[in-house]
Structure formats: structure tokens, C-alpha cells
Amino acid sequence: MPGRHQLKRQLRERVSRWTQPRDVILDILGRSKEHLSAKEIYDALYMDHPGIGLTTVYRTLELFHRLRVVQKVASPDGQGRYELRPGESKWHHHHLICLSCGKIIDYQDFAEEELQLVKKTEKVLSQKHNFMIFDHNIEFLGLCEKCRKAGAEA
């Protein structure tokens, strides 16, 4: 993954204005090992930056998502959760999402085989539907070990 300074430089070249909220939100995402909701990001920045509102966080995350800087993962609670996108194919991963507790597990198992199949699928779909595909996201929905042991249902 490119360093945060390199990523910031690339973003500054792609957006008309680089603002403090964008800088702060990118830093929070870069430091986190978790998939964060907009509200969690807002909570993390509020003490030091009370002038940055929740609406700004949502707009910034949507901008970063459109620019393909962050990956948005749907969560069972209806909130999108965000993580910085991997910059290199070796960091390419997908997600297992628990429908009970919302836990998101990154996985890279079968990454090479999966990428080969996805690229083949993208090529066929692009040609068949005359559609330019930019990205894909694979999510498996189910129950984590803890929720299964607790007898949770999806």
C-alpha cells in the first residue's frame, strides 16, 4: 500500500481542494486496522476537531470511495464501513461478514485463483453487456464462530 504521504500527494492532484477534514479522515483510516463507520470516524476526530461535522465525514468518505481510495463494505446494521484500499495485488482481499454481530473478517485465501476467475468473469461480462468494470467486491455473509456458539440466527 502506498504510504499516507504518497497517497495524500496523489489525492491532492485529483481533487480541486485538499482540506483539513480530508487530511484528518485519511489519517484516521490509515491508522486503523478496523473497518470504520462514518460515525466511528466522527467520534475519533471530534475531540481534536470539533468543527468537522458528521455530514463532512460522510461526504469525504463518499469522495474517497468514488476516487477508489477507500473500500466500502456493507454491514448488517445498515452502515457502510470503510477501509483504505490495498494498493498492491498482494494485499487484495475480500470479506466474511457476520450477520449477527457485524464482525468483518478480511481474508486472502485463494486470492490468486479468485482473481483469475474474477478477471475472466469481468472480461466476459464487459463484452456481453458493453460495460466497463472498474472493480469488484466479494463478501460472504454468515455467522462468526462466537455467534454460532451463542446460538445466534441470521
Side-chain angles (χ1 to χ4, degrees):
M1 182 178 310
R4 281 199 302 261
H5 294 295
Q6 181 183 355
L7 184 56
K8 283 181 189 182
R9 186 174 38 77
Q10 291 171 356
L11 280 168
R12 283 185 186 113
E13 294 170 0
R14 297 171 65 191
V15 296
S16 59
R17 237 179 62 209
W18 188 252
T19 63
Q20 182 194 25
R22 292 173 182 172
D23 200 53
V24 170
I25 293 166
L26 186 64
D27 282 342
I28 290 170
L29 287 166
R31 288 192 312 264
S32 178
K33 302 288 184 213
E34 302 294 318
H35 303 80
L36 300 173
S37 69
K39 178 77 168 90
E40 290 168 335
I41 293 169
Y42 172 77
D43 291 344
L45 64 79
Y46 182 76
M47 289 298 289
D48 292 329
H49 305 278
I52 300 174
L54 185 57
T55 301
T56 299
V57 174
Y58 276 108
R59 286 181 182 152
T60 301
L61 289 170
E62 285 307 311
L63 171 67
F64 288 173
H65 184 247
R66 281 193 316 273
L67 293 173
R68 299 176 62 207
V69 171
V70 298
Q71 183 170 359
K72 183 177 183 179
V73 179
S75 168
D77 63 5
Q79 295 186 60
R81 299 208 168 260
Y82 300 85
E83 66 178 334
L84 282 181
R85 291 180 59 83
E88 302 172 18
S89 61
K90 71 177 183 177
W91 294 106
H92 183 87
H93 68 273
H94 295 293
H95 302 98
L96 304 172
I97 302 172
C98 181
L99 293 171
S100 181
C101 71
K103 179 178 182 176
I104 300 172
I105 302 167
D106 293 341
Y107 78 90
Q108 288 183 294
D109 308 277
F110 314 108
E112 279 303 311
E113 297 93 334
E114 190 176 82
L115 275 174
Q116 290 173 9
L117 176 61
V118 168
K119 285 178 191 237
K120 181 178 178 181
T121 304
E122 285 177 350
K123 181 178 178 182
V124 170
L125 290 172
S126 291
Q127 291 172 347
K128 181 178 179 180
H129 299 285
N130 194 24
F131 189 83
M132 184 183 296
I133 297 173
F134 295 115
D135 199 6
H136 69 275
N137 187 28
I138 297 175
E139 299 171 351
F140 289 97
L141 309 176
L143 295 174
C144 70
E145 181 179 15
K146 182 179 175 183
C147 291
R148 278 195 334 274
K149 285 181 179 177
E153 295 184 16

